[in-house]
Amino acid sequence: MLVLALDTATPVVTAGLVDLPGSGPPVPLASRAYDGRKHGELLVPAVRALCAEAGRPLPSVDAIVVGAGPGPFTGLRVGIVTAAALGHALDVPVHGVCSHDGLALTAAGVGEPGAERPQAGPGNLLVVTDARRREVYWAAYDPAARRLTGPTVEPPAALAERLSELAIGTVVGDPAFAGPLGVEITGPGTPSPVGLAGVAAGALRAGRAPAPVEPLYLRRPDAVEPTGRKRVTT
């Protein structure tokens, strides 16, 4: 099964083609990673370049997997809308997955030939990404990359107080939070196409119809409905 995997939840946009066999881990065919500030201009051209590199025409894609966050509003919309448009045009299913789940599998080196796995600590795995506004998105996983709690958003200081409670041994994600959290952050900072496809592998192999993709913003919108009419006369 040929899977197109996309993620725009972090400052680095990821796109890739993955071969998902009937059993065993996904196999990477081609991938691209680039500056997330240009996701709107570069995402679709990147998909075309992937197909050319892998020698697989776009209509041969069997399914699309897209990271649904957590992430910033604009970035998530670009990835999810692009995935939905391609899915509609190609008449293939679009599966939304938690981007942190994909990053956790990426950190575990799932299906990545020669992937460098972060030095595992004695406890669980913590994934952290930038939520802006001096906050962090995070989720905790067991050593097999199965999610234990999260994702959620809060200030780094609040998360730092919970590290011992969460029994964290390894932290991956955005290295900018090493200081605020008082920990070493190793491994990948973004989910790989193989990691994203791995999250949806069970549903894809079973042929399950995907649920509508719901972005994980984890915050209430800044815009609110007005509570009353404004006077336009004095």
Side-chain angles (χ1 to χ4, degrees):
M1 179 184 297
L2 183 61
V3 179
L4 172 64
L6 308 173
D7 187 84
T8 56
T10 73
V12 177
V13 172
T14 299
L17 282 175
V18 176
D19 179 31
L20 182 66
S23 62
V27 178
L29 300 177
S31 64
R32 290 282 190 281
Y34 55 88
D35 189 341
R37 291 172 294 184
K38 299 180 180 179
H39 42 43
E41 301 95 322
L42 298 180
L43 188 53
V44 172
V47 170
R48 294 195 184 111
L50 290 170
C51 292
E53 179 181 335
R56 304 287 188 91
L58 186 55
S60 66
V61 167
D62 299 302
I64 299 172
V65 175
V66 62
F73 180 78
T74 301
L76 286 187
R77 283 201 307 173
V78 169
I80 291 173
V81 168
T82 300
L86 289 172
H88 178 74
L90 299 172
D91 193 25
V92 298
V94 178
H95 291 259
V97 299
C98 174
S99 300
H100 281 190
D101 291 357
L103 211 163
L105 284 182
T106 303
V110 175
E112 301 275 13
E116 183 177 347
R117 184 171 180 172
Q119 185 63 42
N124 295 320
L125 171 69
L126 180 71
V127 172
V128 295
T129 57
D130 188 5
R132 303 177 184 176
R133 302 184 187 178
R134 299 181 180 179
E135 291 184 319
V136 60
Y137 296 122
W138 67 270
Y141 299 80
D142 70 12
R146 294 176 295 224
R147 194 184 337 153
L148 300 172
T149 186
T152 190
V153 58
E154 62 185 352
L159 174 57
E161 294 177 354
R162 301 183 59 182
L163 294 182
S164 59
E165 168 196 337
L166 295 167
I168 299 301
T170 304
V171 185
V172 301
D174 193 329
F177 292 101
L181 293 176
V183 297
E184 180 183 6
I185 297 180
T186 61
T190 59
S192 71
V194 163
L196 294 166
V199 179
L204 290 169
R205 286 176 174 139
R208 292 199 295 268
V213 181
E214 296 289 342
L216 296 171
Y217 296 132
L218 302 189
R219 286 194 182 108
R220 295 181 62 84
D222 293 329
V224 295
E225 293 185 16
T227 57
R229 295 182 177 180
K230 293 183 179 180
R231 294 191 60 180
V232 294
T233 60
T234 57

